[in-house]
Amino acid sequence: MSAVPVPRAAEVPDYLNARYGVKSWLLTRDHKRIALLYLASVTVFFFLGGAFAVLIRLELVTPAGDLVQSETYNKLFTMHGVIMIFFFLIPSIPAVLGNFLVPLMIGAKDLAFPRLNLLSWYIFVAGGIFTLWSVVHGGLDTGWTFYTPYSTTYSNTAVITAGIGIFVTGFSSILTGLNFIVTIHRMRAPGLTWFRLPLFIWSHYATSLIMVLGTPVLAITVLLLVAERAFRLGIFDPALGGDPVLFQHLFWFYSHPAVYIMILPAMGVISELVTAFSRKNIFGYRFVAYASVGIAVLGFFVWGHHMFVSGQSVYAGMIFSILSFLVAVPSAVKVFNWTATLYKGSVSFQTPMLYTFGFIGLFTIGGLTGLFLASMGLDVHVHDTYFIVAHFHYIMVGGAIMGYLGGIHYWWPKISGKMYPEGLARFAALILFVGFNLTFFPQFILGYLGMPRRYHAYPDEFQVLNVMSSAGASILGVGYLIPMFYLAWSMRYGKDAPANPWGATGLEWRTPSPPPTENFAETPVVTWEPYHYSDAPVEVKGGGGSSDATGEAPARA
Amino acid sequence: MAEAGIHGHTVPLRVYFGVFGALMVLTAVTVAVAFMDLGPWNTIVAMGIAVTKATLVILFFMHVRYSDRLTRIVVAAGFFWFAILVVLTLSDFLSRPWLGVPGR
Amino acid sequence: MHSPAVAERPHGHPALAHHFESLAQQKQASSLGMWVFLVTEILFFGGAFLAYIVYRSAYPEAFAGASHHLDVTLGAINTAVLIVSSLTMALAVHAAQTGRRRGTIGFLLATMVLGAAFLVIKAVEYGHKFEDGLLPGPHFSYPGGGARQAELFFSIYFAMTGLHALHMIVGLGLLATLVWLAARGRFSPGYNTPVEMIGLYWHFVDIVWIFLFPLLYLIGRHG
């Protein structure tokens, strides 16, 4: 992949230059290479989904529906949602950072099932190709939610192809989750008990539970949808006595927990970053660990809050409402604990920490507005308005994507062996923060004032806020492009990274940057607690050979 | 450590044949009972027999009786999550008539 | 895939993958992996079972009437066939664990024959339904009242039994692979994990049918 470098380490090649050639990448079983395969794919999908967002925001600059026809606009927001959710947000952190780091963080040589890991990437690509095919052959206009009977009977777009694409992609998610669960249970290094694990592992474990328990229900739902459309097998067809609300129950049983698939890994990243850049142990480790699993479990009990106005029984709505209040509690616990970790810490403001602060603030706003929506009395007024759009973008972009970018920057030295340019990176982070808020805060107001979502035209009085939002989106777009350039630049021209550039705890920092294919020369034996920052400083290793990769760390008192 | 199986031993053949016999008998019973009019109990008996058969297969053919705690938790979790799906969805459908709203 | 400078430890058993420390760890990983996969299958079929539950509770008479058009005898025979196949599968695992190669192959083949028999009987049933005009879609014709809900019943019937049959076909492929591996002497008392794992899959598919049979075939058969 790179030109043959002057060997900077001793005799051991790292995973990037252990073998060369396209086949060594496409047939790899190395979790680190598979992570990079995913990185390339999700980045392509991100910009594709972003392109649809650009068109949406361009249309919404003017009140009239004058850029595209309404049918086309329906396709734009559908494809934006489908691509961003299924092909970026759900895989991004687990398949890129999780794949790369889970074995390293637990002292293993690879995941439990390396070939399944590679298969999961091929399945991801195959599902993506199906879905992209549907984009260019008829498009998709059902919304990413595929509600019946429009999707089964009335839509004239490529629902079947897209449905098959999503069905296939779901298995990528299932296999990743399965791999993580087995790996974390069965392959931890000696001495690495559950409560010595980094919180990144806890949150990926919790995420994997959701992937494994929820995604199959999406699979059967999409399958039945495709069967109904293709073979007229009427399951959701009212003409046959079927119930479209049944589709919604099945759909949201997965799709609500899916939002926790998107945020939990980012929370895991934040736990790592907030400790590293406060140089302090996490406040309330066990609470954060339990909260991760709590979110995963409770998240399965609340899906009906997407259906308050669907015709669902109001009694069921009340049950779902109170449970939705409950699921906010573990998230709040995490926010409190991250904040408390900062207290009396030695805080520094490198790029990953900027993303951390962005995450904590924006996720809090998004999460609080989620509580508003859990209340049926308010939700019936703002359902299907821009209030909802703003709510989930605060979590998905202000939260998940900031967590993703923070993690990419933090572990970039480990992944690439290079340092990114800090000044430019901080600048990009600030641009993203400004652009994000300008894009999405006006949308809270728009939704509260009554502007519906998924409409390409709106009343004139909403134009000022829409123009602000579109202006913010252009800034946001620039903010996303800048890291693309300097990260690529750094792979060739960046400073070589030492094994532990941040002086952080964690097994991944006790092996060279980039790591050798086998990760560790010898399986580490863990005798210390996580985030032991207040002990004697962890030595920052040089560019190192394998002999001192394990190093020493004082056990906590 | 000799590896005769993760459980450390093989299941005696008589257990397999015993379970097989029970499964066949229960199948015959469920068919016979289906032709008797027990009102609402027909469904309950049929499901009870099905659950019993499934339990026998899980415990003995699938070795869960001899497996570690994690395996049992995983199996239980699968059925529990299916129960969440059914119970909460039915909480919608079954409570709709309580509203007194014309329609379903 | 191995860094050349890292010493290749003599890693023992040929079936031991390089990233595991021991066969025991590998087997534990395989077992947990297969069970997690089966849990995904519970949820996968579970969604279809939910649809069945919702509609049967909404249209009990129509479902009972539609159920009468299914052939209880063939369904019961199929149930028995699958139970026997579960026995032969368990016996195959036992044979592998006790190092009996011919026994392993024999029981695996018996399981395959029984699985194929199930599929043949299913195909016969499907043929009858097609002749009777009970395939959902434009050519659906149902004698008597409740035709709309009956078509719903048959949609669910074909979706669930079709999905089940697909899983059986995959199972036959997996069993064929096991027969091939067993014939090449790959299994022993020290290593027979694939037989046991695919056995778990086969038993699961049997369990799905254990529920499908009474739910689809035995509704309201009295009177």
Side-chain angles (χ1 to χ4, degrees), chain C residues 66-83:
Chain C
S67 166
H68 289 180
H69 290 261
L70 297 178
D71 189 329
V72 172
T73 311
L74 289 183
I77 292 175
N78 256 352
T79 308
V81 163
L82 273 191
I83 290 174

Side-chain angles (χ1 to χ4, degrees), chain A residues 388-413:
Chain A
I388 307 279
V389 176
H391 156 71
F392 63 70
H393 280 94
Y394 260 78
I395 312 227
M396 292 301 126
V397 182
I401 296 189
M402 291 228 167
Y404 176 69
L405 289 174
I408 290 284
H409 283 79
Y410 180 62
W411 282 292
W412 187 253

Side-chain angles (χ1 to χ4, degrees), chain A residues 272-513:
Chain A
E272 300 300 315
L273 302 189
V274 83
T275 47
F277 292 97
S278 318
R279 305 212 57 74
K280 197 162 161 278
N281 190 5
I282 189 83
F283 180 88
Y285 172 94
R286 286 197 186 213
F287 276 87
V288 179
Y290 287 137
S292 300
V293 179
I295 291 171
V297 171
L298 283 174
F300 275 95
F301 287 84
V302 302
W303 77 83
H305 65 231
H306 298 270
M307 297 166 60
F308 284 147
V309 300
S310 65
Q312 172 181 263
S313 142
V314 75
Y315 298 105
M318 285 159 56
I319 296 174
F320 283 119
S321 174
I322 193 78
L323 289 169
S324 303
F325 277 94
L326 210 54
V327 79
V329 171
S331 294
V333 164
K334 289 194 169 197
V335 172
F336 292 145
N337 286 21
W338 291 321
T339 310
T341 304
L342 297 168
Y343 179 63
K344 289 197 175 169
S346 170
V347 178
S348 55
F349 293 91
Q350 283 102 321
T351 304
M353 194 54 158
L354 294 182
Y355 284 115
T356 303
F357 280 117
F359 177 100
I360 296 178
L362 299 176
F363 170 76
T364 300
I365 295 175
L368 285 175
T369 53
L371 275 175
F372 304 168
L373 298 172
S375 164
M376 259 201 291
L378 177 69
D379 184 79
V380 295
H381 294 284
V382 296
H383 177 78
D384 267 346
T385 69
Y386 263 84
F387 194 91
I388 307 279
V389 176
H391 156 71
F392 63 70
H393 280 94
Y394 260 78
I395 312 227
M396 292 301 126
V397 182
I401 296 189
M402 291 228 167
Y404 176 69
L405 289 174
I408 290 284
H409 283 79
Y410 180 62
W411 282 292
W412 187 253
K414 184 58 57 182
I415 294 172
S416 68
K418 301 289 193 179
M419 299 301 294
Y420 60 83
E422 181 65 39
L424 192 50
R426 289 190 204 186
F427 175 69
L430 289 173
I431 298 244
L432 277 171
F433 185 81
V434 169
F436 170 83
N437 282 294
L438 188 57
T439 309
F440 292 107
F441 196 82
Q443 294 185 6
F444 276 125
I445 304 174
L446 280 168
Y448 182 73
L449 291 175
M451 178 178 171
R453 64 186 287 204
R454 296 178 167 176
Y455 275 62
H456 74 137
Y458 54 81
D460 289 341
E461 60 258 34
F462 293 142
Q463 180 167 25
V464 171
L465 290 166
N466 269 293
V467 169
M468 284 173 64
S469 180
S470 295
S474 64
I475 300 174
L476 196 58
V478 168
Y480 286 131
L481 284 171
I482 300 177
M484 296 298 117
F485 290 118
Y486 66 68
L487 288 177
W489 174 93
S490 78
M491 293 186 72
R492 188 142 169 83
Y493 301 109
K495 272 176 47 184
D496 285 347
N500 193 352
W502 312 111
T505 66
L507 287 176
E508 75 270 28
W509 302 110
R510 291 165 185 270
T511 192
S513 300

Side-chain angles (χ1 to χ4, degrees), chain A residues 231-234 240, chain C residues 133-141 151 155:
Chain A
F231 307 122
R232 310 312 307 157
L233 235 55
L240 294 174
Chain C
L134 293 173
L135 216 62
H139 305 296
F140 184 79
S141 73
E151 190 171 356
S155 293

